[in-house]
Amino acid sequence: MPRVASTIFGLAALILLACPPVRAGCAATGDEASAAPAASAPQNVPTPAPPAPVPPAPAPDASAEARAVLAAVGRLDDADTALALAAEGAALYDAEKVKLDGYAYCSQAVELAEQGEFRESARAASKAMHVALQSGNTDLLGKAYRDLAIAFSYAGQLERAEQFANLALKYPGIDPTQVNGPARKVIGDVRTRQARYDEAIAAYDQARGDSSPRFRPLVEASLANALILSGDLARARATLDAVPVPADARQQAQLQRTRGRLLLAENKPDEALALYRQLADAPAAGDEDFYRAWALDGISKSQAALGRDAEAAQALDQAIEVFDRARAQFRSDEFKMGLFSDLQAVFERAIGLHSRLGQPAQAFDISERSRSRALLDAVSGRVAFDQAGIATLDAAALQAMLQPDEVVVAFHTLPDRLLAWVLSRDGVREIRYPIALPRADLARLVDAYRDALIRVSPNAPEVGGKIGQLLLAPLELPAGKRLVIVPHGPLHYLPFQALRLDGQYLIERNPISIAPSISIAARLAQRTPTAAPQLLAFGNPTINPEVADPLPGAEKEVQELAQRFPGAQLFFREQANKDNFAQNAPKSRLVHIAAHAMADTLDPLHSKVLLADKDGKPDYLEAKDVLGMRLDNVAMIALSACESGLGRVENGDEVLGFTRSFLSAGTSTLLASLWPVSDAATEKLMTTLYTDLAGGMQVQDAMREAQRAVMADPATAHPFYWAPFNLIGNWRLRVAQ
């Protein structure tokens, strides 16, 4: 059965993310070689032209440096360790036809981070790191670490950002202000986002003294925001008043937002309201909608502070409309100035306000809109795709599309509580949980449960019962109803089918499917009610054995499934490649991929399925590739691979990886896994599923029967074996007879 690939790079064997000991070895990995595009030097984190040769200094041995780096970040347990990146940088650099100066790669790295291309930024910095290690150039090494710190900070990977910032401080180079100021600012940014404000202020104070005159105003703006958050309003006022007026109109607008924050913290909502209204009426040129939307957000906060919830909700609704026009993906100015604004926070506040005002349908509608917004924020300006399919439907339209036996359960995790709505033909009910269930607590709960499942803990069923009582019992869901569950935040990683209610697993009680957005799933269900019995399948792609183990079981699995579909088109080994997928998948109805997969937590659009190498080099299928395809003809894709359903969930956003990429590209139904899978159990699950599909059973019922078939065997009764795969998207699909 397919597993997550294990990678060995040239510097060392990387043993990362080990799979559970009861299953044969899966391990997550580093990335393949691919060149980052050229970019100009950044404006706000100065990277100098290549300096004069580094003054004579002990040039560190490359392998010794690599070992030191590994020791420094040894507690990180995935592919984005410094050693993995250094090794990746070596592979990327070796693959470059035109090899650039190491400082040019630094310029690329920061520019790409400013554009929101975090994975490509890390790749560029890794090439700079490789050049530095090979040449013993400690000046370049410090800048490479600095740029990795910036990329990881922008991406929200705070632990890695801090690790690389600390590594950068070891190598201040020829001009220490080029490294120390930005590195200490990254540490301050990390502490601010961790709500450790005293430590953030201390880091920013150090950064002020270590920064160039050009960079120092950004540090001071970040310091002012941290002081506001810490409650030191007098010093925040003094610091903010001392910040020079930026020449850039957009940064001027950002500073005004900070002044508005300070006024609200000083309990001056009337003055804040006046300032935000002025900003809304005269937004910064060039990105007027973006800055007007944030001004409307400030108006809403001011109205809420004045006790005017209805007016606050109205202003937030207007802000959301403007944001949807702006389609803003990333604003690095906000990170530079320490604002760290997240558009999802605007949606969350609007959801909370409408819930408090007793308007469940409006709260549900905004929750649904936020799911589309998350995808647009991730891909805008990076991938061309058809956005028509992700437009949202309101509650009334969705109710009309549901059958009498169908119920939608939608969750939204807020920082302080969990909200849920039950949508049926009868209306929309908002669920009031008796305890708050903050997002962070839910994340810990889901992690602990998944860990118990992956370890095949005998206590896992009992834990599933407790979580079912906590999350599902208040919903009062009738047994036998078809459930379409719309998770949010950490709940994307929760296997709802393995929760227990009324003494049964939920999958025994109700047919279940998952939808990242009910608007998308409902449209897909209407558009693709049936599919021709036409199977395209890929199994056991040929991968460099240093990158991934062969998968003979995957080949056997595909051959077994093909017996249910005469005339199936099959590709094995060298032929199971990206070119054959791109050429044949768009015109196929059922697609099955039995291969290795990897989730990319730094940039989920670079999550990948490892299809066959091309000309001896990796040629993976990335989520970014899928999003740019037209897969409207595809009724179902099964990703028979470990953790193919994982991606990144940040600040309440949904999983942005293969799940959303395939559905947004037009695929009607998707099967994807939440953890490393068992060979034998998965073969039985897939065989049962495809047999029932070939017999005309609705896919939601076929999935239920497949899971129950694995569950019925005492050797595989534990949910580890039968619960990893989620059925996502069109829950009504049937294969035509």
Side-chain angles (χ1 to χ4, degrees):
M1 190 57 219
R3 292 157 289 187
V4 181
S6 61
T7 302
I8 301 177
F9 283 114
L11 290 181
L14 304 178
I15 303 173
L16 311 164
L17 278 186
C19 277
V22 296
R23 292 296 126 206
C26 303
T29 95
D31 288 320
E32 79 289 359
S34 72
S40 59
Q43 295 299 309
N44 294 97
V45 181
T47 298
V54 181
D61 174 72
S63 60
E65 175 65 30
R67 288 192 297 273
V69 168
L70 179 61
V73 293
R75 72 173 182 270
L76 299 182
D77 61 356
D78 68 17
D80 291 316
T81 64
L83 182 59
L85 284 165
E88 180 185 17
L92 290 165
Y93 186 79
D94 289 344
E96 295 261 70
K97 291 182 179 179
V98 179
K99 292 176 171 55
L100 303 180
D101 175 90
Y103 293 95
Y105 292 127
C106 283
S107 295
Q108 286 184 3
V110 181
E111 181 70 16
L112 288 163
E114 304 243 321
Q115 297 169 5
E117 290 279 3
F118 306 131
R119 172 55 63 195
E120 296 298 339
S121 174
R123 286 173 176 163
S126 74
K127 285 183 279 189
M129 187 196 310
H130 167 70
V131 173
L133 291 172
Q134 291 301 306
S135 64
N137 185 340
T138 55
D139 181 78
L140 176 59
L141 185 62
K143 290 176 173 59
Y145 289 153
R146 173 204 68 189
D147 296 344
L148 285 164
I150 292 169
F152 282 110
S153 176
Y154 282 6
Q157 303 288 298
L158 303 185
E159 183 178 12
R160 295 179 189 84
E162 182 179 358
Q163 290 283 347
F164 284 112
N166 282 322
L167 287 169
L169 291 171
K170 291 170 55 182
Y171 303 97
I174 296 171
D175 180 358
T177 65
Q178 298 283 308
V179 171
N180 290 349
R184 293 196 189 281
K185 182 180 181 300
V186 166
I187 294 171
D189 293 346
V190 167
R191 293 289 179 262
T192 298
R193 294 163 86 180
Q194 293 171 334
R196 294 160 66 176
Y197 301 123
D198 289 344
E199 295 173 52
I201 292 164
Y204 289 137
D205 280 334
Q206 284 186 292
R208 291 170 84 184
D210 288 345
S211 295
S212 66
R214 185 180 181 188
F215 190 71
R216 192 173 297 117
L218 296 174
V219 177
E220 291 169 334
S222 298
L223 172 62
N225 279 291
L227 288 164
I228 293 169
L229 292 167
S230 75
D232 190 348
L233 304 185
R235 190 180 172 201
R237 170 66 64 187
T239 301
L240 195 57
D241 289 345
V243 175
V245 177
D248 185 87
R250 295 172 303 177
Q251 289 194 3
Q252 290 179 28
Q254 297 285 18
L255 273 177
Q256 286 294 85
R257 279 182 60 200
T258 307
R259 297 182 194 282
R261 284 185 171 191
L262 180 56
L263 287 169
L264 286 172
E266 292 172 333
N267 197 26
K268 300 175 182 177
D270 288 308
E271 292 182 45
L273 182 60
L275 183 149
Y276 284 124
R277 281 176 170 164
Q278 181 182 2
L279 285 173
D281 292 338
D287 288 302
E288 289 86 354
D289 280 345
F290 178 77
Y291 290 102
R292 181 168 183 270
W294 281 122
L296 287 165
D297 175 61
I299 289 172
S300 172
K301 291 176 180 175
S302 303
Q303 295 283 24
L306 291 165
R308 305 168 185 166
D309 281 356
E311 290 87 346
Q314 183 180 23
L316 268 186
D317 291 346
Q318 292 175 12
I320 289 170
E321 292 292 339
V322 179
F323 275 130
D324 279 345
R325 287 203 307 270
R327 297 296 190 211
Q329 174 249 331
F330 180 77
R331 285 294 185 273
S332 62
D333 282 349
E334 304 209 340
F335 289 82
K336 293 172 190 171
M337 304 187 78
L339 291 171
F340 313 114
S341 297
D342 187 325
L343 299 188
Q344 290 299 313
V346 176
F347 286 96
E348 290 174 357
R349 289 181 47 248
I351 291 165
L353 277 169
H354 284 293
S355 174
R356 190 156 62 243
L357 291 167
Q359 300 168 338
Q362 290 92 325
F364 170 86
D365 290 344
I366 294 171
S367 174
E368 186 65 15
R369 287 179 69 176
S370 76
R371 301 170 198 276
S372 294
R373 179 78 237 178
L375 176 68
L376 290 166
D377 291 345
V379 306
S380 178
R382 302 173 61 191
V383 181
F385 76 110
D386 184 4
Q387 297 186 10
I390 66 169
T392 57
L393 301 170
D394 62 22
L398 288 165
Q399 284 176 245
M401 297 170 73
L402 293 175
Q403 301 295 329
D405 66 339
E406 296 173 341
V407 174
V408 175
V409 179
F411 294 96
H412 205 109
T413 60
L414 298 178
D416 60 342
R417 66 191 188 281
L418 175 67
L419 293 179
W421 302 272
V422 176
L423 182 73
S424 68
R425 292 283 291 269
D426 299 328
V428 182
R429 290 190 290 119
E430 183 171 307
I431 307 306
R432 302 283 181 174
Y433 282 96
I435 58 176
L437 300 175
R439 182 187 296 150
D441 290 349
L442 282 173
R444 285 190 287 269
L445 185 68
V446 171
D447 284 347
Y449 184 45
R450 287 186 73 251
D451 181 63
L453 290 170
I454 293 171
R455 289 187 294 103
V456 200
S457 167
N459 296 326
E462 180 184 355
V463 176
K466 291 180 179 178
I467 298 176
Q469 190 64 31
L470 187 69
L471 297 185
L472 300 179
L475 304 178
E476 300 179 352
L477 300 172
K481 292 281 189 179
R482 296 184 180 277
L483 301 183
V484 182
I485 297 174
V486 186
H488 189 262
L491 298 183
H492 280 286
Y493 289 168
L494 180 65
F496 284 90
Q497 56 269 21
L499 302 185
R500 295 178 66 85
L501 196 60
D502 302 332
Q504 295 178 296
Y505 287 111
L506 188 61
I507 194 65
E508 297 179 285
R509 189 178 182 274
N510 300 85
I512 302 169
S513 63
I514 303 296
S517 158
I518 186 57
S519 295
I520 291 179
R523 281 198 177 93
L524 293 171
Q526 283 195 326
R527 193 193 72 198
T528 314
T530 60
Q534 175 197 6
L535 178 66
L536 168 70
F538 298 80
N540 192 21
T542 299
I543 306 292
N544 184 331
E546 290 189 341
V547 173
D549 297 329
L551 297 172
E555 192 165 334
K556 179 185 175 186
E557 174 184 314
V558 168
Q559 290 168 339
E560 286 284 329
L561 301 181
Q563 295 179 18
R564 277 78 178 167
F565 295 88
Q569 188 176 15
L570 309 180
F571 292 98
F572 299 112
R573 297 180 292 281
E574 293 84 358
Q575 296 302 310
N577 57 47
K578 185 175 175 179
D579 287 343
N580 281 330
F581 179 87
Q583 292 170 14
N584 294 284
K587 54 189 178 184
S588 301
R589 299 296 280 161
L590 305 174
V591 181
H592 188 88
I593 305 175
H596 290 291
M598 296 189 299
D600 191 316
T601 57
L602 174 60
D603 189 337
L605 289 181
H606 288 281
S607 296
K608 56 187 66 66
V609 172
L610 277 60
L611 295 181
D613 292 348
K614 182 177 182 180
D615 299 327
K617 296 181 179 179
D619 196 29
Y620 305 153
L621 177 69
E622 294 191 336
K624 190 173 182 179
D625 302 325
V626 171
L627 201 53
M629 294 179 178
R630 292 300 301 267
L631 300 176
D632 306 68
N633 186 63
V634 180
M636 186 179 83
I637 286 184
L639 297 179
S640 187
C642 288
E643 300 182 340
S644 54
L646 301 187
R648 185 179 73 193
V649 177
E650 181 183 2
N651 294 331
D653 294 355
E654 60 156 309
V655 174
L656 295 169
F658 272 115
T659 297
R660 196 59 188 262
S661 291
F662 274 112
L663 295 183
S664 297
T667 302
S668 181
T669 304
L670 179 69
L671 267 65
S673 64
L674 292 173
W675 57 78
V677 296
S678 157
D679 288 2
T682 301
E683 183 179 342
K684 183 170 187 177
L685 185 146
M686 291 295 177
T687 302
T688 305
L689 171 70
Y690 277 87
T691 299
D692 288 340
L693 282 176
M697 187 178 289
Q698 184 172 320
V699 67
Q700 201 181 46
D701 293 325
M703 188 64 177
R704 184 187 190 194
E705 292 307 309
Q707 290 177 319
R708 293 202 291 192
V710 178
M711 188 192 310
D713 184 342
T716 55
H718 192 281
F720 167 79
Y721 298 100
W722 55 262
F725 285 96
N726 274 341
L727 171 67
I728 304 167
N730 175 11
W731 67 96
R732 296 177 184 160
L733 177 69
R734 294 179 187 271
V735 173
Q737 300 302 292

